[in-house]
Coordinates of all heavy atoms in Angstrom, one line a residue:
G162 N 9.3 -37.0 -0.3 CA 8.1 -36.4 0.1 C 8.0 -35.9 1.5 O 8.7 -34.9 1.9
I163 N 7.2 -36.4 2.3 CA 6.8 -35.9 3.7 C 7.0 -36.9 4.7 O 6.9 -38.1 4.6 CB 5.2 -35.5 3.6 CG1 4.9 -34.5 2.5 CG2 4.8 -35.0 5.0 CD1 3.5 -34.4 2.2
S164 N 7.4 -36.4 5.9 CA 7.3 -37.3 7.2 C 6.6 -36.6 8.2 O 6.9 -35.4 8.5 CB 8.7 -37.7 7.6 OG 9.5 -36.5 7.8
I165 N 5.5 -37.2 8.8 CA 4.7 -36.6 9.9 C 5.0 -37.4 11.2 O 4.9 -38.7 11.2 CB 3.3 -36.7 9.5 CG1 3.0 -35.9 8.2 CG2 2.4 -36.1 10.6 CD1 1.6 -36.1 7.7
N166 N 5.3 -36.7 12.2 CA 5.7 -37.3 13.5 C 4.3 -37.6 14.2 O 3.7 -36.7 14.7 CB 6.5 -36.4 14.3 CG 7.9 -36.2 13.7 OD1 8.4 -37.0 13.0 ND2 8.4 -34.9 14.0
V167 N 4.0 -38.9 14.3 CA 2.8 -39.3 14.9 C 3.2 -39.7 16.3 O 2.7 -39.1 17.3 CB 2.1 -40.5 14.1 CG1 0.8 -40.9 14.9 CG2 1.7 -40.0 12.7
E168 N 4.0 -40.8 16.5 CA 4.4 -41.2 17.8 C 5.9 -41.8 17.7 O 6.1 -42.9 18.2 CB 3.5 -42.2 18.4 CG 3.7 -42.5 19.9 CD 2.7 -43.4 20.5 OE1 1.9 -44.0 19.8 OE2 2.7 -43.5 21.8
P169 N 6.8 -41.1 17.1 CA 8.1 -41.6 17.1 C 8.8 -41.3 18.5 O 8.2 -40.6 19.3 CB 8.9 -40.8 16.1 CG 8.1 -39.4 16.1 CD 6.7 -39.7 16.5
D170 N 10.0 -42.0 18.7 CA 10.8 -41.6 19.9 C 11.5 -40.3 19.6 O 12.4 -40.3 18.8 CB 11.8 -42.8 20.1 CG 12.6 -42.6 21.4 OD1 12.6 -41.4 21.9 OD2 13.1 -43.6 21.9
L171 N 11.0 -39.2 20.2 CA 11.6 -37.9 19.9 C 13.1 -37.8 20.3 O 13.8 -37.0 19.8 CB 10.8 -36.8 20.6 CG 9.3 -36.7 20.1 CD1 8.6 -35.6 20.8 CD2 9.3 -36.4 18.5
E172 N 13.5 -38.7 21.2 CA 14.9 -38.6 21.7 C 15.9 -39.1 20.4 O 17.1 -38.7 20.4 CB 15.2 -39.6 22.8 CG 14.6 -39.1 24.1 CD 15.0 -39.9 25.3 OE1 15.7 -41.0 25.0 OE2 14.6 -39.7 26.5
H173 N 15.2 -39.8 19.5 CA 16.1 -40.2 18.3 C 16.5 -39.0 17.4 O 17.4 -39.1 16.6 CB 15.3 -41.2 17.5 CG 15.2 -42.6 18.2 ND1 14.5 -43.6 17.5 CD2 15.6 -43.0 19.4 CE1 14.6 -44.6 18.4 NE2 15.3 -44.3 19.4
F174 N 15.8 -37.9 17.6 CA 16.2 -36.7 16.8 C 17.5 -36.1 17.4 O 18.1 -35.2 16.8 CB 15.1 -35.7 16.8 CG 13.9 -36.0 15.9 CD1 12.9 -36.8 16.4 CD2 13.9 -35.6 14.6 CE1 11.8 -37.2 15.6 CE2 12.8 -35.9 13.8 CZ 11.8 -36.7 14.3
G175 N 17.9 -36.6 18.5 CA 19.0 -36.0 19.2 C 20.3 -36.2 18.5 O 21.4 -35.5 18.9
G176 N 20.5 -37.1 17.6 CA 21.7 -37.4 16.9 C 22.0 -36.4 15.7 O 23.0 -36.5 15.0
I177 N 21.1 -35.5 15.5 CA 21.2 -34.6 14.3 C 20.7 -33.2 14.8 O 20.0 -33.0 15.8 CB 20.4 -35.0 13.0 CG1 18.9 -35.2 13.4 CG2 21.0 -36.3 12.4 CD1 18.0 -35.5 12.2
V178 N 21.0 -32.2 14.0 CA 20.3 -30.9 14.1 C 19.2 -31.0 13.0 O 19.6 -30.9 11.8 CB 21.3 -29.7 13.8 CG1 20.5 -28.4 13.9 CG2 22.4 -29.7 14.8
P179 N 18.0 -31.3 13.3 CA 16.9 -31.5 12.3 C 16.8 -30.4 11.3 O 16.6 -29.2 11.8 CB 15.7 -31.8 13.1 CG 16.2 -32.2 14.4 CD 17.5 -31.4 14.7
C180 N 17.0 -30.6 10.1 CA 16.8 -29.6 9.0 C 17.8 -28.4 9.2 O 17.6 -27.3 8.8 CB 15.4 -29.2 8.9 SG 14.4 -30.6 8.5
G181 N 18.8 -28.6 10.1 CA 19.8 -27.5 10.3 C 19.3 -26.4 11.2 O 19.9 -25.3 11.3
I182 N 18.2 -26.6 11.9 CA 17.6 -25.6 12.6 C 17.8 -25.9 14.2 O 17.3 -26.9 14.6 CB 16.1 -25.3 12.3 CG1 16.0 -24.9 10.9 CG2 15.4 -24.4 13.3 CD1 14.5 -24.9 10.4
Q183 N 18.5 -25.0 14.9 CA 18.8 -25.2 16.2 C 17.9 -24.6 17.2 O 17.8 -25.0 18.4 CB 20.3 -24.9 16.5 CG 21.3 -25.6 15.7 CD 22.7 -25.3 16.2 OE1 23.0 -25.3 17.4 NE2 23.7 -25.2 15.2
E184 N 17.3 -23.4 16.8 CA 16.5 -22.6 17.8 C 15.1 -23.1 18.0 O 14.4 -22.6 18.7 CB 16.6 -21.1 17.3 CG 15.9 -20.9 15.9 CD 16.7 -20.9 14.7 OE1 17.8 -21.7 14.8 OE2 16.5 -20.3 13.7
H185 N 14.7 -24.1 17.3 CA 13.3 -24.7 17.4 C 13.5 -26.2 17.6 O 14.5 -26.8 17.3 CB 12.5 -24.3 16.3 CG 12.3 -22.9 16.0 ND1 11.4 -22.2 16.8 CD2 12.8 -22.1 15.2 CE1 11.5 -20.9 16.5 NE2 12.4 -20.7 15.4
G186 N 12.4 -26.8 18.2 CA 12.4 -28.2 18.5 C 11.6 -29.1 17.6 O 11.2 -28.6 16.4
V187 N 11.4 -30.3 18.0 CA 10.6 -31.3 17.2 C 9.5 -31.8 18.2 O 9.7 -32.0 19.3 CB 11.5 -32.4 16.8 CG1 10.7 -33.4 16.0 CG2 12.6 -31.9 15.9
T188 N 8.3 -32.1 17.6 CA 7.2 -32.6 18.3 C 6.5 -33.7 17.6 O 7.0 -34.0 16.4 CB 6.2 -31.5 18.8 OG1 5.3 -32.0 19.7 CG2 5.5 -30.9 17.6
S189 N 5.5 -34.2 18.1 CA 4.7 -35.3 17.5 C 3.3 -35.1 17.9 O 3.0 -34.3 18.9 CB 5.2 -36.7 17.8 OG 4.9 -37.0 19.2
L190 N 2.4 -35.7 17.2 CA 0.9 -35.6 17.5 C 0.7 -36.2 19.0 O -0.1 -35.6 19.7 CB 0.1 -36.3 16.5 CG 0.2 -35.9 15.1 CD1 -0.8 -36.6 14.2 CD2 0.0 -34.4 15.0
V191 N 1.3 -37.3 19.3 CA 1.1 -37.8 20.6 C 1.7 -37.0 21.7 O 1.2 -36.8 22.7 CB 1.6 -39.3 20.7 CG1 1.6 -39.8 22.1 CG2 0.7 -40.2 19.8
D192 N 2.9 -36.4 21.4 CA 3.6 -35.5 22.3 C 2.7 -34.2 22.6 O 2.7 -33.7 23.7 CB 4.9 -35.0 21.7 CG 5.7 -34.0 22.6 OD1 5.9 -34.4 23.8 OD2 6.1 -33.0 22.1
L193 N 1.9 -33.9 21.6 CA 1.0 -32.8 21.8 C -0.3 -33.1 22.5 O -1.2 -32.3 22.7 CB 0.6 -32.1 20.4 CG 1.8 -31.4 19.6 CD1 1.5 -31.2 18.2 CD2 2.2 -30.1 20.4
G194 N -0.5 -34.4 22.9 CA -1.6 -34.8 23.7 C -2.7 -35.4 22.9 O -3.8 -35.6 23.4
L195 N -2.5 -35.7 21.6 CA -3.5 -36.2 20.7 C -3.3 -37.8 20.6 O -2.3 -38.3 20.3 CB -3.4 -35.6 19.3 CG -3.6 -34.1 19.2 CD1 -3.2 -33.6 17.8 CD2 -5.0 -33.7 19.5
P196 N -4.4 -38.5 21.0 CA -4.4 -40.0 20.9 C -4.6 -40.4 19.4 O -5.6 -41.1 19.2 CB -5.5 -40.4 21.8 CG -6.5 -39.3 21.7 CD -5.7 -38.1 21.5
V197 N -3.6 -40.2 18.6 CA -3.7 -40.4 17.2 C -2.9 -41.6 16.7 O -1.8 -41.6 17.2 CB -3.4 -39.1 16.4 CG1 -3.4 -39.3 14.9 CG2 -4.3 -37.9 16.8
T198 N -3.4 -42.3 15.8 CA -2.6 -43.5 15.3 C -2.1 -43.2 13.9 O -2.6 -42.2 13.2 CB -3.4 -44.7 15.3 OG1 -4.6 -44.6 14.3 CG2 -4.0 -45.0 16.7
L199 N -1.3 -44.0 13.3 CA -0.9 -43.9 11.9 C -2.1 -44.0 11.0 O -2.2 -43.3 10.0 CB 0.2 -44.9 11.6 CG 1.5 -44.8 12.3 CD1 2.4 -46.0 11.9 CD2 2.2 -43.5 11.8
T200 N -2.9 -45.0 11.3 CA -4.2 -45.2 10.5 C -5.0 -43.9 10.5 O -5.6 -43.5 9.4 CB -4.9 -46.3 11.1 OG1 -4.1 -47.5 11.0 CG2 -6.2 -46.5 10.2
D201 N -5.2 -43.3 11.7 CA -5.9 -42.0 11.7 C -5.4 -41.0 10.8 O -6.1 -40.3 10.1 CB -6.0 -41.4 13.2 CG -6.7 -42.4 14.1 OD1 -7.6 -43.1 13.7 OD2 -6.3 -42.3 15.3
V202 N -4.0 -40.8 10.8 CA -3.4 -39.9 9.9 C -3.6 -40.3 8.5 O -3.7 -39.4 7.6 CB -1.8 -39.8 10.3 CG1 -1.1 -38.9 9.3 CG2 -1.7 -39.2 11.7
D203 N -3.5 -41.6 8.2 CA -3.6 -42.0 6.8 C -5.0 -41.5 6.2 O -5.2 -41.1 5.1 CB -3.5 -43.5 6.6 CG -2.1 -44.0 6.9 OD1 -1.2 -43.1 7.0 OD2 -1.9 -45.2 7.2
V204 N -6.1 -41.8 7.0 CA -7.4 -41.4 6.7 C -7.5 -39.9 6.5 O -8.1 -39.4 5.5 CB -8.4 -41.9 7.7 CG1 -9.8 -41.3 7.4 CG2 -8.5 -43.3 7.8
A205 N -6.9 -39.1 7.3 CA -7.0 -37.7 7.2 C -6.2 -37.2 5.9 O -6.7 -36.3 5.2 CB -6.3 -37.0 8.4
L206 N -5.1 -37.8 5.6 CA -4.3 -37.5 4.4 C -5.1 -37.9 3.1 O -5.1 -37.1 2.2 CB -3.0 -38.3 4.4 CG -2.0 -37.8 5.3 CD1 -0.8 -38.8 5.5 CD2 -1.3 -36.4 5.0
Q207 N -5.7 -39.0 3.1 CA -6.5 -39.4 1.9 C -7.7 -38.5 1.7 O -8.1 -38.1 0.6 CB -6.9 -40.9 2.0 CG -5.7 -41.7 1.9 CD -6.2 -43.2 1.8 OE1 -6.9 -43.6 1.0 NE2 -5.7 -44.0 2.7
R208 N -8.3 -38.0 2.9 CA -9.6 -37.2 2.8 C -9.2 -35.8 2.4 O -9.9 -35.2 1.5 CB -10.2 -37.2 4.2 CG -11.6 -36.6 4.1 CD -12.5 -37.1 5.2 NE -11.7 -37.2 6.5 CZ -12.0 -38.1 7.5 NH1 -13.0 -39.0 7.3 NH2 -11.4 -38.2 8.6
S209 N -8.0 -35.2 2.7 CA -7.6 -33.9 2.4 C -6.9 -33.8 1.0 O -6.8 -32.8 0.5 CB -6.8 -33.3 3.5 OG -5.7 -34.1 3.8
F210 N -6.4 -34.9 0.5 CA -5.6 -34.9 -0.6 C -6.4 -34.1 -1.8 O -5.8 -33.3 -2.5 CB -5.2 -36.3 -1.1 CG -4.4 -36.4 -2.4 CD1 -3.1 -36.1 -2.3 CD2 -4.9 -36.7 -3.5 CE1 -2.2 -36.1 -3.5 CE2 -4.1 -36.7 -4.8 CZ -2.8 -36.5 -4.6
L211 N -7.6 -34.6 -2.1 CA -8.3 -34.0 -3.2 C -8.7 -32.5 -3.1 O -9.1 -31.9 -4.0 CB -9.5 -34.9 -3.6 CG -9.2 -36.3 -4.1 CD1 -10.5 -37.0 -4.4 CD2 -8.3 -36.2 -5.4
T212 N -8.6 -32.0 -1.8 CA -8.9 -30.6 -1.6 C -7.7 -29.7 -2.0 O -7.8 -28.5 -2.1 CB -9.3 -30.3 -0.1 OG1 -8.1 -30.5 0.7 CG2 -10.4 -31.2 0.3
V213 N -6.5 -30.3 -2.2 CA -5.3 -29.6 -2.5 C -4.8 -30.0 -4.0 O -4.4 -29.1 -4.7 CB -4.2 -30.0 -1.5 CG1 -2.9 -29.2 -1.9 CG2 -4.7 -29.7 -0.1
F214 N -5.0 -31.3 -4.3 CA -4.4 -31.7 -5.6 C -5.5 -32.2 -6.5 O -6.5 -32.8 -6.0 CB -3.4 -32.8 -5.5 CG -2.2 -32.5 -4.7 CD1 -2.1 -32.8 -3.4 CD2 -1.1 -32.0 -5.3 CE1 -1.0 -32.5 -2.6 CE2 0.1 -31.7 -4.6 CZ 0.1 -31.9 -3.3
D215 N -5.4 -32.0 -7.8 CA -6.4 -32.6 -8.7 C -6.1 -34.0 -8.8 O -4.9 -34.5 -8.9 CB -6.2 -31.9 -10.1 CG -6.6 -30.5 -10.1 OD1 -7.5 -30.1 -9.4 OD2 -6.1 -29.7 -11.0
A216 N -7.2 -34.8 -8.9 CA -7.0 -36.2 -9.0 C -6.4 -36.7 -10.4 O -5.6 -37.5 -10.5 CB -8.3 -37.0 -8.8
T217 N -6.9 -36.0 -11.5 CA -6.5 -36.4 -12.8 C -6.1 -35.1 -13.6 O -6.9 -34.6 -14.4 CB -7.6 -37.1 -13.6 OG1 -8.8 -36.3 -13.5 CG2 -7.9 -38.4 -12.9
P218 N -4.9 -34.6 -13.3 CA -4.5 -33.4 -14.0 C -4.3 -33.6 -15.5 O -4.1 -34.8 -16.0 CB -3.1 -33.1 -13.4 CG -2.6 -34.4 -12.9 CD -3.8 -35.2 -12.5
E219 N -4.3 -32.6 -16.3 CA -4.2 -32.7 -17.8 C -2.8 -33.1 -18.1 O -1.8 -32.7 -17.4 CB -4.6 -31.4 -18.4 CG -6.1 -31.1 -18.2 CD -6.4 -29.8 -18.9 OE1 -5.6 -29.1 -19.6 OE2 -7.5 -29.4 -18.9
R220 N -2.6 -33.8 -19.2 CA -1.3 -34.2 -19.8 C -0.6 -33.0 -20.3 O -1.3 -32.2 -21.0 CB -1.5 -35.2 -20.9 CG -0.2 -35.5 -21.7 CD 0.9 -36.2 -20.8 NE 0.5 -37.4 -20.3 CZ 1.3 -38.2 -19.5 NH1 2.4 -37.7 -19.2 NH2 0.9 -39.3 -19.1
A221 N 0.7 -32.8 -19.9 CA 1.4 -31.6 -20.3 C 1.9 -32.0 -21.7 O 2.1 -33.1 -22.1 CB 2.6 -31.3 -19.4
P222 N 2.2 -30.9 -22.6 CA 2.7 -31.2 -23.9 C 4.0 -31.9 -23.9 O 4.8 -31.7 -23.0 CB 2.9 -29.8 -24.5 CG 1.9 -28.9 -23.7 CD 1.9 -29.5 -22.3

Side-chain angles (χ1 to χ4, degrees):
I163 300 166
S164 57
I165 301 173
N166 297 329
V167 181
E168 193 178 6
D170 187 337
L171 295 179
E172 292 185 358
H173 289 180
F174 286 88
I177 57 173
V178 178
C180 301
I182 298 172
Q183 300 191 43
E184 64 269 27
H185 298 284
V187 179
T188 190
S189 70
L190 301 185
V191 171
D192 180 55
L193 292 167
L195 298 171
V197 176
T198 67
L199 292 173
T200 300
D201 294 330
V202 171
D203 294 347
V204 171
L206 287 167
Q207 292 187 52
R208 193 153 42 206
S209 56
F210 180 81
L211 292 181
T212 69
V213 180
F214 297 95
D215 292 332
T217 53
E219 295 182 358
R220 167 66 62 182

